[in-house]
Amino acid sequence: MSDACCGQPPTHSEPDRGPTRLWQVRELQCAVGAALLLAGAWALGHADSHTAATVLELLAVAVAAWVFVPDALRKLRHGKIGVGTLMTIAAIGAVALGQYPEAAMLGILFSIAEGLEHFALARTRRGLRALLSLVPPSVTVLRQGHELPVAPDQLVIGDLMVLRPGERAATDGVIRSGRTSLDLSAITGESVPVEAGPGEEIHAGTVNGGGAVEVEVAALAADSSLARIVHIVEEAQERKGTGQRLANTIATPLVPAIMTLAALVAVVGSIVGDPMLWIERALVVLVAASPCALAIAVPLTVVAAVGASSRHGALIKGGAALEELGLVRVIALDKTGTLTRNTPTVVAVVTTRDATEREVVVLAAALEARSEHPLARAVLATATDPVLPAEDVTAVPGHGLIGVVNGVRIRLGKPTWITPGPLVPEVTRLQEAGATVIIVERDEAVIGAIAVRDELRAEAPEAVAGLRRLGVDVAMLTGDNERTARASARDAGITTVHAELLPEDKAALLGPLSRERKIAMVGDGINDAPALATADIGIAMGAMGTDVAIETADVALMGEDLRHLPQVLAHARRARRIMVQNIGFSLAIITVLIPLAATGVLGLATVVFIHEFAEVLVIANAIRAARTTPTPGLTAAPGTSGSVNMSFTAQT
């Protein structure tokens, strides 16, 4: 707490090695020991053994003060002052004035507050690092034709892991043989298994729910997607938001100001009245004005909220992102890959008299052969003949492709770029049915159209309804044509639709859509980069294993289930309310206690009790940010009380 008050980041031991029970916390052990000594002193005092009682009282002071006095003195030697400094001065002053029980109570209550804070931090961070325990203690690999059990840290890139039914992947890899169903619930929060076969990626912590598969290792265990998530979230927990900056802005200069105020109370009071009385009141002011609760009001809330969110499939990049997310009132959703499954399929091919369906598909596939666009994959999957890539292929961003096939110029693109000509009625019909239509032109003559449909996610209407219940306005921004976009939006329950947009158009629309309110953009983290960067909050969908999405977005939803969106939004709002409550309560306590302490209405023992009890309340309130209820169908990552099954070195 003294670090926080001085603007220094707190240091924490490895969370998985920290205390797992309250009785293991050193500060609480000292507090209990001091309390027992003080109780013994009270009993001896009532038995008229005053000398022995005084000895026990001084021992109680020493035991309780051992928690904070040595550290405060070390920092003071380096010119750093904080709450520990204030408590040390108050304790020494109380002893000098002969108020041994009050000095002991100050130390005991301060130690309890310190211990509870450290235990809360360790628990929330340990819950996050528990994700690493999803990595199994050993994994079977094929080396020189033999199956060998090895530790995850001994895996090398290129190894073949053998995953039997029920086993977890120790790191990221690519399936080379076998088919199975993968349980990603511990990572993404989604309970529905995913079918996977050769060539498909598998991530660390994934459970093999079907047949045995061989997986080629693609990343060291310490560099896996799971380890990267933990590292990013731990960094995010240290990032300061507006509330935390406000708390630090107030708390940092407050400590020297409190010392100055206490000195003035002592000096001025001694001039006009009894010096001993006013020195005592000055010590009480030191305790009353200590910004302990204010210093931890926001950081502890951020740690708890960000850690809890990560265990439910959403990475929030620090306090600033958490606070901004809690203020969002408008959300703009991309269509492809966000509202839809991102697995488009060809549903129809229509032609003019100048070509057959086979020719249209072959020519389109030739232009799409080297494209990574989802629509390209759908076209290539439909082509039954071998595809030879076109020559001189040029992409026209936001419109389509131009290339040469067997010396003939071919164009492929949107109906707004290539006029459908005789196919207008067919194109209109297909678009109204919710399909995206690609026009194929050969030598400046339209020869056909390919209709591709990307089905709406089954949970999209529920997710949109959940956002509306939170009072959030929802809009769709897409580069698709107007008819297709409106058909998809209608099924999802969205009324505000902006279609046929280029990437820069999406970014430009965010301002008018927000109408001075906080707006979030939800996309894939790559294609929607301008809009994600322009929005107050950029949210990347399906970011598991995608470096660009995780690193660039303010919030990354690890899974593909849209219901994560209202869940993380509600969680951020609740966390922000807790921050505001803690800051307000902390300032109110200081404001009320200072005049009461300075005027002698409250004595040292009373002020110590109220001050430290208020700090305990702030800690308890902050811990509430770690509680979140998963949406039905979404699950939380399992916690653990055991050890982590792999080493993890934070990277800078």
Side-chain angles (χ1 to χ4, degrees):
M1 279 181 284
S2 56
D3 283 338
C5 285
C6 293
Q8 301 295 325
T11 56
H12 307 285
S13 60
E14 283 293 312
D16 49 310
R17 295 180 186 174
T20 58
R21 298 289 185 271
L22 278 172
W23 57 266
Q24 295 174 325
V25 180
R26 184 181 67 89
E27 293 89 346
L28 296 182
Q29 292 172 348
C30 288
V32 170
L36 291 174
L37 289 171
L38 192 59
W42 177 83
L44 289 174
H46 277 69
D48 293 329
S49 299
H50 299 295
T51 302
T54 300
V55 171
L56 287 184
E57 287 171 353
L58 288 172
L59 283 174
V61 172
V63 171
W66 185 254
V67 170
F68 57 92
V69 171
D71 188 54
L73 294 176
R74 280 194 298 270
K75 286 181 171 61
L76 195 58
R77 284 202 301 270
H78 293 89
K80 297 178 182 179
I81 58 174
V83 174
T85 310
L86 301 185
M87 292 297 142
T88 299
I89 295 172
I92 293 173
V95 170
L97 293 172
Q99 297 185 4
Y100 307 144
E102 287 80 0
M105 283 299 297
L106 184 151
I108 290 168
L109 292 173
F110 186 64
S111 297
I112 290 173
E114 284 265 288
L116 290 176
E117 180 198 351
H118 293 166
F119 180 74
L121 283 168
R123 191 181 73 170
T124 53
R125 290 177 181 272
R126 189 168 55 248
L128 169 64
R129 291 291 287 256
L131 287 173
L132 290 179
S133 68
L134 297 177
V135 174
S138 67
V139 60
T140 302
V141 297
L142 282 174
R143 289 179 180 170
Q144 299 178 346
H146 299 285
E147 292 188 4
L148 303 172
V150 300
D153 289 342
Q154 295 175 343
L155 289 171
V156 296
I157 295 176
D159 268 344
L160 273 182
M161 294 187 295
V162 178
L163 288 187
R164 298 179 177 84
E167 292 183 339
R168 290 187 185 272
T171 187
D172 301 339
V174 179
I175 297 176
R176 290 308 178 203
S177 67
R179 298 196 65 85
T180 187
S181 60
L182 303 176
D183 179 0
L184 305 173
S185 60
I187 305 167
T188 67
E190 296 164 15
S191 57
V192 178
V194 177
E195 297 299 319
E200 298 194 53
E201 294 182 350
I202 187 169
H203 300 291
T206 301
V207 177
N208 179 13
V213 292
E214 293 181 2
V215 180
E216 182 180 342
V217 172
L220 299 178
D223 299 327
S224 70
S225 53
L226 198 59
R228 188 170 64 249
I229 288 169
V230 173
H231 174 57
I232 289 172
V233 175
E234 286 186 331
E235 282 188 331
Q237 288 175 330
E238 301 294 344
R239 295 177 185 169
K240 298 177 181 178
T242 305
Q244 189 167 348
R245 287 194 296 270
L246 172 63
N248 282 352
T249 299
I250 297 171
T252 301
L254 193 57
V255 173
I258 292 166
M259 297 179 71
T260 303
L261 175 62
L264 286 173
V265 169
V267 172
V268 175
S270 297
I271 294 173
V272 299
D274 181 2
M276 296 303 293
L277 173 65
W278 286 99
I279 290 173
E280 181 180 342
R281 289 183 180 179
L283 293 175
V284 179
V285 168
L286 274 181
V287 177
S290 297
C292 304
L294 180 64
I296 64 171
V298 177
L300 187 55
T301 307
V302 170
V303 169
V306 172
S309 179
S310 69
R311 295 192 299 275
H312 286 80
L315 301 186
I316 302 176
K317 305 291 280 294
L322 182 68
E323 291 182 53
E324 289 286 290
L325 189 62
L327 292 170
V328 165
R329 292 297 178 268
V330 185
I331 285 186
L333 296 166
D334 177 45
K335 173 178 169 285
T336 304
T338 302
L339 282 167
T340 61
R341 296 182 181 278
N342 204 24
T343 54
T345 55
V346 173
V347 295
V349 179
V350 295
T351 68
T352 63
R353 296 178 181 178
D354 299 325
T356 64
E357 290 186 10
R358 175 177 167 275
E359 289 175 316
V360 169
V361 171
V362 167
L363 290 174
L367 263 69
E368 299 277 28
R370 293 192 173 93
S371 174
E372 293 297 324
H373 195 280
L375 297 185
R377 294 196 293 271
V379 172
L380 290 168
T382 305
T384 55
D385 297 329
V387 176
L388 295 177
E391 300 173 347
D392 300 327
V393 176
T394 303
V396 182
H399 296 293
L401 301 170
I402 302 173
V404 177
V405 178
N406 296 327
V408 179
R409 184 175 182 269
I410 306 296
R411 278 206 308 165
L412 175 77
K414 296 179 177 180
T416 53
W417 186 49
I418 304 173
T419 304
L423 298 178
V424 168
E426 291 291 329
V427 169
T428 301
R429 177 181 62 81
L430 291 167
Q431 288 178 336
E432 289 177 345
T436 299
V437 179
I438 306 167
I439 306 299
V440 182
E441 181 188 82
R442 180 173 59 191
D443 273 344
E444 299 184 3
V446 173
I447 60 171
I450 301 174
V452 180
R453 184 160 56 215
D454 190 3
E455 297 295 338
L456 194 72
R457 296 183 187 275
E459 75 280 1
E462 181 185 342
V464 171
L467 291 172
R468 293 199 187 284
R469 283 194 296 272
L470 292 172
V472 176
D473 291 340
V474 184
M476 176 196 285
L477 304 184
T478 179
D480 216 335
N481 71 83
E482 188 80 23
R483 292 190 185 92
T484 301
R486 292 203 174 276
S488 297
R490 182 176 60 250
D491 293 341
I494 299 174
T495 55
T496 304
V497 181
H498 295 273
E500 301 178 11
L501 302 174
L502 298 175
E504 56 268 27
D505 297 332
K506 294 181 182 180
L509 264 173
L510 294 178
L513 274 177
S514 68
R515 299 200 302 273
E516 304 303 322
R517 297 169 294 173
K518 294 291 183 181
I519 187 169
M521 175 70 197
V522 186
D524 61 12
I526 302 173
N527 296 334
D528 298 304
L532 288 170
T534 303
D536 295 302
I537 285 289
I539 302 175
M541 271 287 294
M544 183 62 190
T546 307
D547 290 327
V548 174
I550 295 177
E551 294 292 345
T552 60
D554 299 301
V555 179
L557 304 182
M558 306 312 298
E560 301 283 350
D561 196 314
L562 262 178
R563 290 176 296 176
H564 282 296
L565 197 52
Q567 177 176 284
V568 72
L569 196 64
H571 180 61
R573 286 189 181 183
R574 183 168 178 268
R576 189 178 182 280
R577 285 197 301 271
I578 290 172
M579 290 182 200
V580 173
Q581 291 167 2
N582 280 349
I583 291 175
F585 179 66
S586 302
L587 290 175
I589 288 294
I590 293 174
T591 304
V592 171
L593 286 184
I594 287 178
L596 294 177
T599 56
V601 174
L602 297 179
L604 181 60
T606 305
V607 168
V608 167
F609 177 79
I610 294 173
H611 188 275
E612 301 307 327
F613 182 68
E615 189 174 351
V616 171
L617 289 181
V618 166
I619 293 170
N621 195 39
I623 292 173
R624 289 173 53 233
R627 295 203 305 266
T628 182
T629 304
T631 299
L634 301 179
T635 58
T640 180
S641 58
S643 59
V644 168
N645 292 326
M646 59 171 286
S647 62
F648 174 71
T649 304
Q651 301 171 354
T652 56

